[in-house]
């Protein structure tokens, strides 16, 4: 109990929203002041919503200049039979490598001129553009159209109207009793019984699920322990085990839920054949000194144990209250800032949510994963939250606190046997450190918002606060 892990809360990715345009935006930022080239022709069109179409024409003279420089460079490094190294004539290089070199030059000029055009038009793209090349034979101007979305421009509203209710839960003796009872259940022992299975029993079963006579994916198991009423199997499966005895078999049909991860099985009727190997009843341990010592209380003292439970419940309540405050703050900001969200950001968030769902359910084949539309609403909320918090960070010039980053890193490394090795792993990975910095910066901006909000205390019960 002293080292219980806390489940992470799904959050909008501030660092992801800030870096939405990737390295391309950084390249543009670096070129804005450096680029003095004015020979490219640019026209900008606004598409639907946040879509932009940037048309760029690269003059033939600029292409030819780059082409000739590349020819010369290639001639000094090329190795061709019959010529000394570095002495290959330019016309031979052009004959052998000309088309390839010109293609490379055009590709690089498209990248560089797109960055120049973004800087000139002061655009912030979301992700990489879709490039549509126009006509442009050798000796002619080359034109292309870059299609992309841009980040919305807005100032964060509603900061003067932030008002939240902070839930405050006093831990009661009943809360402690109920928690100890859950701990007893968690540490229960099982013993075989000869009676029919009842709610709360553990039944060890073989099962096979079929639809239209064909086995379903991940639909069978051998000697699988199932606790009736635990809700770990598909709804309806556990209830059909009630009344079964050791050695008995049963066939029943279960309708899979509409949100089942495997799309092919949603609202599907699946026939299960089940055979029981064992029925076991639960034996709850007594709350005695031996039981208490199992929670790192050497004295086995009941009063000390109950105090430990109280402290843990209080920490859980405080964490839940902070989470609820953050939710209210975000809801208030979302209501005051109906910001249009780039589709690319929503897609990115939905892909992340889908990957999390696949990992948590053990689904490896994308064909059996939930549809992207399943996550669209949550993804849109997360993306819009990220945009608003990122805008607020820029407006208020909030900077990540290195001390808090180091503290967060310590928290992440502490549970491991060799925390220093884990710390070094993080420090050597810019990606991992950027993720930690993003979390810390999000905590900082939410703390800043709470400091501006009017906070009213609201007394609630622990069970109500925790939803248990």
């Amino acid at each position: 109990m002293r080292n219980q892990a806390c489940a992470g809360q799904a959050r909008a990715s501030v660092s992801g929203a800030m870096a939405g345009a990737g390295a391309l935006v950084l390249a543009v930022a670096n070129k804005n002041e450096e680029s003095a080239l004015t020979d490219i022709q640019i026209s900008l069109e606004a598409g639907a919503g946040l879509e932009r179409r940037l048309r760029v024409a690269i003059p033939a003279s600029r292409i030819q200049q780059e082409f000739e420089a590349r020819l010369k460079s290639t001639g000094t490094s090329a190795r061709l039979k019959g010529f000394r190294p570095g002495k290959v004539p330019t016309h031979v290089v052009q004959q052998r490598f000309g088309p390839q070199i010109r293609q490379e030059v055009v590709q690089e000029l498209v990248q560089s001129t797109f960055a120049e055009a973004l800087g000139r038009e002061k655009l912030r793209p979301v992700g990489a553009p879709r490039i549509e090349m126009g006509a442009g034979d050798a000796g002619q101007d080359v034109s292309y159209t870059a299609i992309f979305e841009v980040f919305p421009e807005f100032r964060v509203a509603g900061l003067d109207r932030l008002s939240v209710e902070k839930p405050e839960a006093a831990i009661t003796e009943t809360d402690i009793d109920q928690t100890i009872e859950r701990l007893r259940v968690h540490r229960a022992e099982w013993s075989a019984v000869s009676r029919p299975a009842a709610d709360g029993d553990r039944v060890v079963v073989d099962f096979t699920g079929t639809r239209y006579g064909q086995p379903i994916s991940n639909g069978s198991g051998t000697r699988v322990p199932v606790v009736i009423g635990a809700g770990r199997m598909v709804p309806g499966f556990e209830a059909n085990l009630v009344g079964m005895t050791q050695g008995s078999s049963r066939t029943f049909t279960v309708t899979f839920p509409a949100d089942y991860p495997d799309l092919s099985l949603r609202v599907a009727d699946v026939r299960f054949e089940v055979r029981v190997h064992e029925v076991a009843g639960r034996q709850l341990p007594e709350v005695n000194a031996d039981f208490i010592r199992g929670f790192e209380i050497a004295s086995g003292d009941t009063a000390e144990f109950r105090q430990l439970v109280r402290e843990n419940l209080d920490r859980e309540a405080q964490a839940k209250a902070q989470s609820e405050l953050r939710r209210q703050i975000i809801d208030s900001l979302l209501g005051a800032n109906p910001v249009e969200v780039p589709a690319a950001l929503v897609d990115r968030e939905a892909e992340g949510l889908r990957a999390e769902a696949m990992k948590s359910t053990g689904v490896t084949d994308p064909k059996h994963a939930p549809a992207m539309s399943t996550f669209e609403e949550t993804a849109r909320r997360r993306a819009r939250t990220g945009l608003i918090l990122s805008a607020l960070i820029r407006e208020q010039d909030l900077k990540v606190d290195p001390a808090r980053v180091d503290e967060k890193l310590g928290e992440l490394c502490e549970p491991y046997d060799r925390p220093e090795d884990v710390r070094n792993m993080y420090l050597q990975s810019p990606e991992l450190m950027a993720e930690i910095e993003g979390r810390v910066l999000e905590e900082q901006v939410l703390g800043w918002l709470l400091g501006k909000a009017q906070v009213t205390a609201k007394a609630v019960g622990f069970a109500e606060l925790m939803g248990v």
Side-chain angles (χ1 to χ4, degrees):
M1 295 231 343
R2 294 185 191 272
N3 295 315
Q4 289 180 343
C6 297
Q9 295 287 331
R11 58 167 64 89
S13 175
V14 176
S15 58
M18 293 176 67
L24 184 58
V25 168
L26 295 179
V28 172
N30 291 333
K31 283 178 175 288
N32 278 349
E33 295 183 0
E34 298 175 6
S35 179
L37 298 173
T38 59
D39 56 343
I40 62 173
Q41 298 178 11
I42 302 171
S43 64
L44 179 65
E45 295 180 7
L50 296 169
E51 183 184 274
R52 300 292 183 269
R53 301 175 70 89
L54 193 62
R55 303 183 190 276
V56 179
I58 309 172
S61 59
R62 184 166 176 181
I63 298 171
Q64 186 63 25
Q65 180 183 4
E66 295 286 343
F67 178 68
E68 290 175 358
R70 188 69 58 85
L71 281 178
K72 184 177 180 180
S73 172
T74 304
T76 61
S77 60
R79 293 179 178 273
L80 293 179
K81 187 176 181 180
F83 298 95
R84 287 181 297 168
K87 299 297 184 179
V88 182
T90 301
H91 73 276
V92 175
V93 175
Q94 181 167 353
Q95 183 180 9
R96 291 287 300 272
F97 305 112
Q100 178 184 341
I101 291 175
R102 186 178 189 280
Q103 183 179 8
E104 292 174 357
V105 165
V106 170
Q107 289 176 345
E108 292 176 9
L109 282 174
V110 166
Q111 294 178 10
S112 63
T113 56
F114 177 61
E116 291 176 29
L118 289 178
R120 202 176 295 180
E121 298 294 328
K122 296 181 172 56
L123 296 172
R124 291 198 305 139
V126 180
R130 185 174 82 252
I131 301 293
E132 294 180 353
M133 295 299 300
D137 296 331
Q140 296 180 344
D141 294 351
V142 169
S143 64
Y144 65 88
T145 301
I147 304 168
F148 53 92
E149 290 181 293
V150 294
F151 285 98
E153 297 293 337
F154 66 97
R155 290 194 64 82
V156 180
L159 298 179
D160 57 341
R161 301 190 301 275
L162 291 176
S163 178
V164 295
E165 288 186 333
K166 181 180 181 181
E168 295 185 348
I171 308 302
T172 66
E173 294 300 311
T174 299
D175 296 326
I176 296 173
D177 290 339
Q178 292 174 344
T179 301
I180 293 175
E181 191 63 22
R182 287 193 290 271
L183 294 173
R184 292 182 68 205
V185 170
H186 181 70
R187 298 205 170 187
E189 295 183 352
W190 300 95
S191 58
V193 296
S194 57
R195 58 173 172 77
D199 189 47
D201 286 344
R202 186 186 70 186
V203 185
V204 181
V205 300
D206 295 344
F207 65 90
T208 301
T210 58
R211 188 184 185 201
Y212 305 130
Q214 299 298 318
I216 64 171
S217 176
N218 300 317
S220 64
T222 302
R223 291 189 174 273
V224 177
V226 179
V227 177
I228 300 176
R232 296 183 178 177
M233 302 294 284
V234 66
F237 186 97
E238 294 169 12
N240 276 285
L241 302 181
V242 173
M244 297 188 70
T245 57
Q246 181 181 8
S248 67
S249 298
R250 180 175 292 177
T251 300
F252 52 84
T253 299
V254 170
T255 301
F256 276 52
D259 60 351
Y260 192 71
D262 189 334
L263 298 180
S264 66
L265 293 175
R266 291 186 176 185
V267 201
D269 291 332
V270 176
R271 177 185 175 90
F272 283 100
E273 295 180 4
V274 177
R275 180 175 180 273
V276 174
H277 288 281
E278 179 188 82
V279 177
R282 182 159 36 200
Q283 305 295 321
L284 298 181
E286 293 184 24
V287 182
N288 53 26
D290 288 337
F291 177 80
I292 293 172
R293 290 190 188 100
F295 296 94
E296 301 180 17
I297 299 178
S299 67
D301 181 69
T302 300
E304 187 177 351
F305 176 53
R306 292 182 69 86
Q307 180 61 26
L308 174 64
V309 172
R310 179 185 295 277
E311 291 171 359
N312 275 279
L313 293 183
D314 186 62
R315 279 194 293 271
E316 291 179 21
Q318 292 292 337
K320 182 67 174 180
Q322 288 299 315
S323 176
E324 175 61 19
L325 284 176
R326 289 194 295 269
R327 184 195 64 77
Q328 292 180 47
I329 286 285
I330 295 301
D331 284 348
S332 180
L333 288 176
L334 290 174
N337 295 274
V339 181
E340 187 174 6
V341 183
L345 287 185
V346 178
D347 291 344
R348 185 185 304 167
E349 291 288 354
E351 287 171 1
L353 290 168
R354 188 171 186 248
E356 291 174 11
M358 291 177 64
K359 183 177 180 180
S360 65
T361 56
V363 175
T364 56
D365 189 344
K367 293 186 296 185
H368 298 144
M372 293 289 284
S373 58
T374 306
F375 309 102
E376 184 174 356
E377 183 176 351
T378 302
R380 188 172 299 280
R381 175 186 171 89
R382 288 177 58 166
R384 191 148 65 95
T385 300
L387 288 172
I388 294 170
L389 295 184
S390 296
L392 188 60
I393 289 169
R394 290 193 303 272
E395 290 174 15
Q396 302 300 324
D397 195 26
L398 300 178
K399 307 293 184 183
V400 67
D401 184 347
R404 294 182 63 169
V405 171
D406 190 66
E407 181 182 350
K408 177 68 70 175
L409 180 58
E411 293 174 2
L412 292 171
C413 300
E414 183 182 5
Y416 293 92
D417 293 334
R418 298 170 64 91
E420 282 305 314
D421 290 346
V422 179
R423 171 183 285 271
N424 289 333
M425 179 194 71
Y426 272 97
L427 292 174
Q428 293 171 12
S429 170
E431 293 81 7
L432 292 176
M433 289 306 299
E435 182 180 343
I436 294 177
E437 290 170 0
R439 292 189 201 177
V440 170
L441 190 55
E442 182 178 331
E443 292 173 1
Q444 287 181 223
V445 70
L446 287 169
W448 184 87
L449 286 164
L450 282 172
K452 292 185 66 65
Q454 179 180 349
V455 181
T456 305
K458 177 185 178 183
V460 297
F462 177 79
E464 178 187 356
L465 175 62
M466 304 302 295
V468 296

